[in-house]
Every structure is written in structure tokens, then in C-alpha cells.
Amino acid sequence: MKLKRLFGTNGIRGVANRELTPEFALEVAYAIGTFFGKGKIIIGRDGRTSGLMLAKAVNAGLTSTGCQVYTCGLVPTPALQYAVKHYRMDGGVMITASHNPPQYNGIKVMARDGVELPREKETKIEDIFFNRKFQLAEWNAIGEAYSIPDVIEVYVKAVKKHVNTAAIREKHYKVVVDSGNGVGSMALPKLLREMGCKVLTLNANVDGTFPGRPPEPRPENLGELASIVKTVKADLGVALDGDADRAIFVDEKGQIHWGDRSFALVAKHFLMKKPKETIITPISSSQLIKDVAEEYGGKILWTRVGSITVSRTMLKTKSDLGGEENGGIFYAPHQPVRDGAMTTALVLNIMAQTGKRLSELLGELPTYYIEKGKVECPNELKQKLLVELIAKVKDLNVDTIDGVKIWFEDKSSILIRPSGTEPLYRLYAEAKTKQRAITLLKKYEKTVRAIIRKLCFQ
Ligand code: MG
């Protein structure tokens, strides 16, 4: 496998038995074990067909470096992250490819705080891996492997501590959970039932071929959930991604709401209790979160795109709430990582405490229209384009933390970012009307194309 880097924005990812073979996972685990140096490491996995194979290889690699390994089988990623802290582990390894297609898998490494390692530590593991600085233990210092059976119970109990379970129980909510054949069904239905909800499940059998729907909970994949919510007259529908750290909601009318809106709802009620708090969110998030923060006295700290950046920024600034437009909400009083079950509990908590239905709560938020576009751009021109673009728009209200985001007076905005994986630039325009969003998108697509033409002829 020819790689300059092992870790991408979300751990190590690849196609099972192509890039992610057992030998590869074994050597990655030698490097992880060497990095942790004989510590206690917990391993979990999502429901992918290659999960057990890769978990066993990682287990062998870690014990061979003298680490003590604790396995917990099929668990949501946030449950594994919680277990790292709860059981005072030195680190954790999650075998998951989150929302990627079924043939993929991945390896995420958590520090002792349950959050994925910061980039500088990933670089250390990469150095050990590529330079083969593995430190295998002597025969009499090889690690043991133990299993921990109650990770889910501990996690569910922890989530419940942060909401008013008595208020939720009184409402007897009916909730439809679509875990998309992922590991979310291991924890979320249990949590909801323990809070007195009537739970109906869809795609609840863990199946690594994901026969029910693709593992990413995008609106186009959630039609079945939406119609079931309506048919059975449920109060709420929840769709999780493959490893259950993201949650997308459907209201009682069967309307699917993208993550920007549930994040803004949680942020609003959080700020109503704790005004002046800072909310951490990537620059790709909607103007909606800015509106909510302004109205309820909070501040926004924009970050680069990526969940690890959000988590690490929250830890650094001691912020309690973070969120992403894709349905990932980070609630630090529980843990500063995306957590689908915690997010669902927070939404139910708001419903119970206000006595309002989800459609009503979300209807109180402003509406924005988003238009997305892309312009092809050779990889070697991406950086030059960024420099030219920044020079061109420097007199506007611009943030260049990740790509270029321009805010306009009428609350519209555009984000122009190079794709990390493909030879193109992505554009996201947002405005109060669809027409304005389209106009903005077309205008900047033209600007980007003109710069590329100019760079090509230089
Ligand atoms: Mg995920």
C-alpha cells in the first residue's frame, strides 16, 4: 500500500481486503501499540463484514507490542469513546468506516480522553509505521486480551444523566429508529425504552452489507423512515449513520430535517440556559447557527471542517457544545465527540420540557436555502487558486480558516473550498431565498472558473 499518510480527516480508511488487509491492520496495530507503549487499549467495531477480521488483526498487533487489550465487540463509536474514559484506558481503537459504503472499513485511534488523537500524535504513529520502528515485546511480556461485556449499559446510563428522564417518561413518546443496519441499534432503542418511549425499529438488524439503506443518513435515503413515522403517528423519527455518531431527525409530520436545523435547535435551548457560551462549529455550517447565537447571546467559534478539529477545539476552549451540519452534535458535559444517542436524548429533552412537537420547534427557526456546486480544478492549481481568490475578495467580509467563506449584508454567504480527495472546488451558497442562493452560486462558479483559466495560461 503506497501511502504518504495513514490518517485522513477521520482515521484510516480503505476498502477491506484491498487497502485494509489483515496484514496491514496488524502492522498499523504494531505502530499503535508501540506508540502507546504497553498501555491498556479497548477495541470496538461496527457491523461491517470485515470488522471481526480487522479487529482480530489489531488485537494481535497490540498484544504483540505488550499492550493489554480489552474487547467490547459491536458498539457505536461514541460508546467506545465513552468506555475509554470510563474504564481508564490509555487509548481506544474503533474499527469503523462510519457512513462510507459497505466495502470500506477504517481504524480510528482514541487518546485516553476518548477523543481521536490530535494530528501531531497521528504523525508519530505514521513515523513508526513507515519507518518500521515497531517494538515487539519479549515472549514473556506479550499482552493479555480480556473482554468487557457491559460497554453499552454503561454508555446508556451515562447519556441518561444529562437529560430529564422523568419529564421524557411522562410524555410516552413514540419514536421510530432507523439505524440503517448499523451498530446504532445496539444502544439507541435501549436508551429510548429506558426513558419510557415506545420504540419501533427499522433496519435494526446489524448487517455489514447494509441491505436497508446506505449507511449515510441523507434525506434521499430516509423516505421509508419518514413515511413510517407518519403512518404510525410517531412523535419522532431518528436515522443514524453506520457507527451511530450522527443523527438526522424526522418530525411527526414526516418531514426530514437536515443536521443544521437540529443543531440550531439544540444550540438555542442550550443558550437559553447558558447564554454567553461559545459554540464550536466548522466554517461549513449554516448561517442559522450564527442567527441563533446572536439572538440568544452566545458566541460562535468557527473551525476548519472535520470532527476531530471540533472536538479538540472544544477541549482547548472548554466549550460545552459543538455541531456539524451533517447531524453530528458534540455535548461535552457527556463527552466532546459526536454522539447520535446523546443528540436524540437532547432533542427529546427539549420536546418534553417545552411540551412542543418537533415540527413546531423547528418551525420557530429561520429558514435558509442552500445551493451546492462544483468546479473542476487540477490538484496542482488548488493552492494558487486559493491565493488568487483571497486577493480578489479581500475587501468583503471574509473568513479563510478553511477555503474562503464570504458573508454578505443580507445574511447570505458562500463557502468555496478545495475538495480533499478529488480535483475540484466545492461551492456552498446559502441565502434567505432560493433565487439569491442560485445567483450567488453562479456568480462565484464563474469567478472560480475565470481564475482557473488565468492560471492555466500563465
Ligand atoms: Mg459516523
Short mmCIF file of all heavy atoms in Angstrom, two decimals, residues 393-418:
data_model
loop_
_atom_site.label_atom_id
_atom_site.label_comp_id
_atom_site.label_asym_id
_atom_site.label_seq_id
_atom_site.Cartn_x
_atom_site.Cartn_y
_atom_site.Cartn_z
N VAL A 393 -11.25 38.79 -3.14
CA VAL A 393 -12.42 39.09 -2.28
C VAL A 393 -12.02 39.73 -0.94
O VAL A 393 -12.84 39.85 -0.04
CB VAL A 393 -13.24 37.81 -2.01
CG1 VAL A 393 -13.75 37.23 -3.31
CG2 VAL A 393 -12.43 36.77 -1.25
N LYS A 394 -10.77 40.15 -0.83
CA LYS A 394 -10.25 40.56 0.49
C LYS A 394 -10.99 41.75 1.11
O LYS A 394 -10.98 41.91 2.33
CB LYS A 394 -8.75 40.84 0.44
CG LYS A 394 -8.34 42.03 -0.41
CD LYS A 394 -6.83 42.21 -0.34
CE LYS A 394 -6.36 43.50 -0.97
NZ LYS A 394 -6.84 43.77 -2.35
N ASP A 395 -11.66 42.56 0.29
CA ASP A 395 -12.37 43.71 0.85
C ASP A 395 -13.76 43.37 1.37
O ASP A 395 -14.44 44.19 1.98
CB ASP A 395 -12.48 44.84 -0.20
CG ASP A 395 -11.10 45.37 -0.55
OD1 ASP A 395 -10.22 45.31 0.35
OD2 ASP A 395 -10.89 45.80 -1.69
N LEU A 396 -14.18 42.13 1.11
CA LEU A 396 -15.50 41.70 1.61
C LEU A 396 -15.34 41.14 3.02
O LEU A 396 -14.21 41.03 3.54
CB LEU A 396 -16.09 40.64 0.67
CG LEU A 396 -16.29 41.07 -0.79
CD1 LEU A 396 -16.67 39.88 -1.64
CD2 LEU A 396 -17.37 42.15 -0.87
N ASN A 397 -16.44 40.72 3.64
CA ASN A 397 -16.38 40.10 4.97
C ASN A 397 -16.03 38.62 4.78
O ASN A 397 -16.89 37.80 4.46
CB ASN A 397 -17.74 40.28 5.64
CG ASN A 397 -17.75 39.72 7.05
OD1 ASN A 397 -16.71 39.32 7.58
ND2 ASN A 397 -18.93 39.69 7.66
N VAL A 398 -14.72 38.32 4.94
CA VAL A 398 -14.22 37.00 4.53
C VAL A 398 -13.58 36.28 5.71
O VAL A 398 -12.95 36.89 6.56
CB VAL A 398 -13.13 37.20 3.45
CG1 VAL A 398 -12.48 35.87 3.08
CG2 VAL A 398 -13.72 37.83 2.21
N ASP A 399 -13.75 34.92 5.74
CA ASP A 399 -13.02 34.08 6.68
C ASP A 399 -12.27 33.04 5.86
O ASP A 399 -12.86 32.39 5.01
CB ASP A 399 -14.01 33.40 7.64
CG ASP A 399 -13.30 32.80 8.84
OD1 ASP A 399 -12.21 32.23 8.65
OD2 ASP A 399 -13.82 32.92 9.96
N THR A 400 -10.96 32.90 6.12
CA THR A 400 -10.16 31.97 5.30
C THR A 400 -9.64 30.81 6.12
O THR A 400 -8.60 30.22 5.82
CB THR A 400 -8.98 32.71 4.64
OG1 THR A 400 -8.23 33.34 5.69
CG2 THR A 400 -9.45 33.75 3.65
N ILE A 401 -10.35 30.45 7.16
CA ILE A 401 -9.89 29.36 8.03
C ILE A 401 -9.83 28.02 7.28
O ILE A 401 -8.97 27.18 7.53
CB ILE A 401 -10.76 29.27 9.31
CG1 ILE A 401 -10.12 28.32 10.31
CG2 ILE A 401 -12.18 28.85 9.01
CD1 ILE A 401 -10.68 28.43 11.70
N ASP A 402 -10.75 27.82 6.33
CA ASP A 402 -10.77 26.59 5.55
C ASP A 402 -11.44 26.93 4.21
O ASP A 402 -12.66 27.05 4.16
CB ASP A 402 -11.57 25.51 6.30
CG ASP A 402 -11.30 24.11 5.78
OD1 ASP A 402 -10.69 24.00 4.69
OD2 ASP A 402 -11.71 23.14 6.43
N GLY A 403 -10.62 27.13 3.17
CA GLY A 403 -11.18 27.64 1.92
C GLY A 403 -11.48 29.12 2.12
O GLY A 403 -10.84 29.80 2.93
N VAL A 404 -12.51 29.61 1.42
CA VAL A 404 -12.90 31.02 1.55
C VAL A 404 -14.39 31.08 1.83
O VAL A 404 -15.19 30.53 1.08
CB VAL A 404 -12.61 31.78 0.23
CG1 VAL A 404 -13.11 33.22 0.33
CG2 VAL A 404 -11.14 31.77 -0.09
N LYS A 405 -14.74 31.71 2.94
CA LYS A 405 -16.17 31.92 3.21
C LYS A 405 -16.43 33.42 3.18
O LYS A 405 -15.71 34.20 3.81
CB LYS A 405 -16.57 31.35 4.56
CG LYS A 405 -18.04 31.59 4.89
CD LYS A 405 -18.70 30.37 5.43
CE LYS A 405 -20.16 30.58 5.76
NZ LYS A 405 -20.79 29.38 6.27
N ILE A 406 -17.44 33.84 2.43
CA ILE A 406 -17.78 35.25 2.34
C ILE A 406 -19.19 35.44 2.89
O ILE A 406 -20.11 34.73 2.49
CB ILE A 406 -17.73 35.77 0.88
CG1 ILE A 406 -16.46 35.26 0.18
CG2 ILE A 406 -17.81 37.30 0.83
CD1 ILE A 406 -16.50 35.43 -1.33
N TRP A 407 -19.29 36.38 3.83
CA TRP A 407 -20.62 36.71 4.37
C TRP A 407 -21.08 38.03 3.77
O TRP A 407 -20.29 38.98 3.65
CB TRP A 407 -20.56 36.86 5.89
CG TRP A 407 -20.58 35.55 6.63
CD1 TRP A 407 -21.64 34.73 6.81
CD2 TRP A 407 -19.48 34.93 7.30
NE1 TRP A 407 -21.29 33.63 7.55
CE2 TRP A 407 -19.97 33.72 7.86
CE3 TRP A 407 -18.14 35.25 7.49
CZ2 TRP A 407 -19.17 32.86 8.61
CZ3 TRP A 407 -17.35 34.39 8.23
CH2 TRP A 407 -17.85 33.21 8.77
N PHE A 408 -22.36 38.11 3.43
CA PHE A 408 -22.91 39.33 2.86
C PHE A 408 -23.91 39.96 3.82
O PHE A 408 -24.40 39.29 4.74
CB PHE A 408 -23.57 39.03 1.50
CG PHE A 408 -22.61 38.42 0.52
CD1 PHE A 408 -22.49 37.04 0.40
CD2 PHE A 408 -21.79 39.23 -0.26
CE1 PHE A 408 -21.57 36.48 -0.49
CE2 PHE A 408 -20.87 38.67 -1.15
CZ PHE A 408 -20.77 37.30 -1.26
N GLU A 409 -24.20 41.24 3.58
CA GLU A 409 -25.09 42.02 4.47
C GLU A 409 -26.47 41.39 4.63
O GLU A 409 -27.07 41.47 5.68
CB GLU A 409 -25.27 43.43 3.89
CG GLU A 409 -23.99 44.26 3.90
CD GLU A 409 -23.89 45.10 5.15
OE1 GLU A 409 -24.81 45.90 5.37
OE2 GLU A 409 -22.89 44.97 5.90
N ASP A 410 -26.97 40.77 3.55
CA ASP A 410 -28.34 40.25 3.60
C ASP A 410 -28.40 38.84 4.20
O ASP A 410 -29.34 38.09 3.96
CB ASP A 410 -28.95 40.24 2.18
CG ASP A 410 -28.19 39.29 1.25
OD1 ASP A 410 -27.10 38.79 1.65
OD2 ASP A 410 -28.67 39.04 0.13
N LYS A 411 -27.35 38.48 4.97
CA LYS A 411 -27.26 37.18 5.65
C LYS A 411 -27.04 36.01 4.69
O LYS A 411 -27.21 34.84 5.07
CB LYS A 411 -28.48 36.91 6.53
CG LYS A 411 -28.54 37.82 7.74
CD LYS A 411 -29.51 37.29 8.74
CE LYS A 411 -29.37 38.04 10.06
NZ LYS A 411 -30.27 37.53 11.07
N SER A 412 -26.72 36.31 3.45
CA SER A 412 -26.35 35.21 2.57
C SER A 412 -24.85 35.00 2.69
O SER A 412 -24.13 35.85 3.22
CB SER A 412 -26.75 35.52 1.12
OG SER A 412 -26.12 36.70 0.69
N SER A 413 -24.38 33.83 2.25
CA SER A 413 -22.95 33.55 2.34
C SER A 413 -22.57 32.54 1.27
O SER A 413 -23.44 31.86 0.71
CB SER A 413 -22.61 32.98 3.72
OG SER A 413 -23.25 31.73 3.88
N ILE A 414 -21.27 32.47 1.00
CA ILE A 414 -20.79 31.41 0.10
C ILE A 414 -19.49 30.87 0.65
O ILE A 414 -18.65 31.62 1.14
CB ILE A 414 -20.66 31.90 -1.37
CG1 ILE A 414 -20.27 30.70 -2.26
CG2 ILE A 414 -19.63 33.02 -1.52
CD1 ILE A 414 -20.84 30.76 -3.64
N LEU A 415 -19.36 29.54 0.61
CA LEU A 415 -18.12 28.88 1.02
C LEU A 415 -17.53 28.22 -0.23
O LEU A 415 -18.22 27.50 -0.95
CB LEU A 415 -18.40 27.83 2.10
CG LEU A 415 -17.20 26.96 2.50
CD1 LEU A 415 -16.12 27.77 3.21
CD2 LEU A 415 -17.65 25.81 3.41
N ILE A 416 -16.25 28.49 -0.46
CA ILE A 416 -15.56 27.93 -1.63
C ILE A 416 -14.35 27.17 -1.10
O ILE A 416 -13.43 27.77 -0.54
CB ILE A 416 -15.12 29.06 -2.59
CG1 ILE A 416 -16.33 29.94 -2.94
CG2 ILE A 416 -14.47 28.51 -3.85
CD1 ILE A 416 -15.98 31.31 -3.49
N ARG A 417 -14.39 25.84 -1.20
CA ARG A 417 -13.33 25.00 -0.59
C ARG A 417 -12.79 23.99 -1.58
O ARG A 417 -13.56 23.36 -2.31
CB ARG A 417 -13.92 24.17 0.56
CG ARG A 417 -13.99 24.84 1.89
CD ARG A 417 -14.51 23.85 2.91
NE ARG A 417 -13.49 22.92 3.34
CZ ARG A 417 -13.64 21.61 3.43
NH1 ARG A 417 -14.75 21.02 3.07
NH2 ARG A 417 -12.66 20.86 3.86
N PRO A 418 -11.46 23.77 -1.57
CA PRO A 418 -10.93 22.70 -2.40
C PRO A 418 -11.33 21.34 -1.81
O PRO A 418 -11.32 21.18 -0.59
CB PRO A 418 -9.41 22.90 -2.30
CG PRO A 418 -9.19 23.68 -1.04
CD PRO A 418 -10.43 24.48 -0.80
#
